[in-house]
């Protein structure tokens, strides 16, 4: 019987950020094919906030009808292996790792368990815990939409709505890397950031409606799901595509309609529902970009685990830019210092 305890944030139900409370819960033990990870850092994302709210209602079919099936939120993490199951060969105790738990959630806690064959990669010495914890939200999702689904290529015209968020800041860099001419939509105060990431043009949504622009795009990536395919259709090229990672019933209807009756397509895909093998492969490709200096992580704020509710309130305010980092362990500072020291001596 496991009598050890750990601190974790639990969602007591669906609702505002106040449903997130710190609790003492049983520390998990790894199954034979699992690893136990000591979580140093995790993330708080717009997707986390949407799932916490239980909206759209359709998502509850996967998350739990009345309350979350997995009450500990969070999907992105970085840490080290604290224990391994008897059948695990890929990792050893003490290995630095990072990854994504997808629909397993559970990263806003001191420890988590996941399959060694899951979305789990060794953490390079040149990548800190801060960046690694937020890697799988913005970077991985944006890469999936732009490279795998959108097949963005040299010369494409790409517009990114929500260009200063975690998805947007990654998408601007990835689209530019793939050879596209990028237009970013954000508030005027974030225009400098978005341009510094590679956008050729920036539209201030507080001053101008991008759907009324006198220009057409091969791909529109609406990271926020704020504008519909119908509103964006006018500025899509003949075979243009509208992508959004935000699941809404109208978008699903538009997907079905455009699949058969329109050369312009509306597309939604839940990146987290891809197979672990697919996600690991995509994550490895994204890591190569980062290690080559072609992709950087923008971190807006950081919060200790106990203040996760405040992080969610900030997300709900709509003013977040880049990523929010959650510090799960008191060891964070020493681990970061050791990582920096190793980088300087290699």
């Amino acid at each position: 019987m496991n009598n050890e305890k750990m601190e974790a944030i639990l969602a007591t139900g669906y609702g505002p950020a106040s449903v997130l409370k710190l609790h003492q819960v049983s520390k998990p033990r790894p199954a034979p094919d699992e690893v136990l990870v000591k979580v140093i850092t995790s993330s708080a994302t717009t997707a986390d906030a949407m799932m916490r709210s239980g909206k759209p209602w359709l998502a509850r079919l996967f998350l739990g009808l009345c309350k979350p099936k997995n009450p500990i939120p969070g999907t992105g993490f970085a840490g080290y292996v604290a224990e391994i199951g008897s059948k695990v060969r890929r990792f050893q105790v003490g290995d630095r790792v990072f990854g994504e738990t997808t629909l397993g959630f559970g990263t806003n806690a001191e420890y988590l368990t996941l399959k060694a064959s899951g979305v789990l990669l060794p953490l390079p010495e040149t990548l800190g815990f801060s960046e690694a914890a937020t890697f799988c939200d913005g970077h991985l999702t944006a890469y999936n939409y732009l490279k795998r689904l959108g097949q963005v290529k040299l010369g494409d015209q790409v517009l990114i709505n929500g260009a200063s968020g975690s998805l947007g800041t990654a998408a601007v860099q990835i689209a530019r890397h793939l050879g596209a001419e990028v237009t970013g939509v954000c508030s005027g105060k974030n225009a400098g950031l978005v341009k510094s990431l590679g956008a050729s043009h920036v539209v201030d949504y507080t001053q101008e409606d991008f759907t009324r622009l006198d220009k057409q795009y091969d791909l529109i990536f609406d990271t926020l799901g704020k504008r519909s395919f119908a509103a964006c259709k006018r500025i899509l090229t003949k075979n243009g595509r509208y992508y959004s990672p935000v699941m809404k019933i109208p978008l699903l209807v538009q997907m079905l309609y455009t699949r058969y009756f329109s050369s312009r397509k509306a597309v939604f895909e839940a990146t987290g529902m891809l197979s672990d093998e697919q996600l690991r492969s995509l994550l490895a490709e994204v890591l190569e970009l980062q290690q080559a200096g072609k992709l950087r992580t923008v971190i807006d704020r950081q919060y200790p685990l106990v203040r996760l509710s405040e992080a969610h309130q900030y997300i709900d305010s709509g003013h977040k830019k880049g990523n929010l980092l959650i510090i799960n362990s008191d060891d964070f500072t020493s681990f970061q210092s050791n990582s920096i020291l190793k980088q300087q001596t290699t």
Side-chain angles (χ1 to χ4, degrees), residues 226-272:
K226 295 288 189 181
R227 307 306 298 268
S228 67
F229 166 76
C232 296
K233 183 178 178 180
R234 190 188 70 84
I235 59 169
L236 284 172
T237 57
K238 181 180 178 181
N239 296 306
R241 295 141 292 160
Y242 167 90
Y243 291 90
S244 178
V246 181
M247 179 175 61
K248 293 182 178 180
I249 291 177
L251 177 56
L252 299 181
V253 172
Q254 290 159 357
M255 281 179 61
L256 290 172
Y257 176 83
T258 60
R259 181 175 181 179
Y260 301 104
F261 302 110
S262 175
S263 62
R264 299 177 176 90
K265 305 297 183 185
V267 180
F268 162 81
E269 180 177 274
T271 300

Side-chain angles (χ1 to χ4, degrees), residues 213-230:
L213 293 173
D214 191 21
K215 184 176 181 179
Q216 290 191 313
Y217 298 90
D218 301 294
L219 186 148
I220 293 175
F221 186 28
D222 184 2
T223 68
L224 304 170
K226 295 288 189 181
R227 307 306 298 268
S228 67
F229 166 76

